[in-house]
Amino acid sequence: MSNPDRDEPAEDDVFREAVRRTAYFLWEQAGRPHGRHQEYYLQALEQHRRNRKYDDWLKDDPDGNRD
């Protein structure tokens, strides 16, 4: 559910699927540790949120020229 008071854009199905795939990749790379799926999901979620925030920043001011 979207929160209008937050600076982050809504997380749609495409975003959530990308997070899920990244989490699965990270989990596999770590040797598929039992019982740690949530840890990898949260890591992937944070990674995707940071990337999206950075991409939005670049769209707003790609040259770093802030007035």
Side-chain angles (χ1 to χ4, degrees):
M1 185 157 263
S2 172
N3 182 348
D5 295 330
R6 289 176 41 189
D7 254 350
E8 297 175 12
E11 294 172 355
D12 60 9
D13 290 339
V14 173
F15 179 85
R16 285 188 291 273
E17 178 64 16
V19 171
R20 188 190 69 74
R21 288 175 180 259
T22 299
Y24 185 79
F25 174 80
L26 293 171
W27 175 74
E28 279 198 325
Q29 291 298 303
R32 299 179 177 187
H34 179 71
R36 293 177 54 195
H37 61 278
Q38 185 173 12
E39 174 185 337
Y40 292 100
Y41 180 83
L42 294 174
Q43 181 181 348
L45 180 61
E46 179 61 27
Q47 178 181 334
H48 280 271
R49 284 178 175 168
R50 274 193 325 266
N51 289 345
R52 184 164 53 180
K53 195 170 198 174
Y54 181 71
D55 289 345
D56 289 345
W57 176 79
L58 286 176
K59 288 178 193 173
D60 289 343
D61 192 2
D63 296 324
N65 298 319
R66 300 260 176 208
D67 292 328

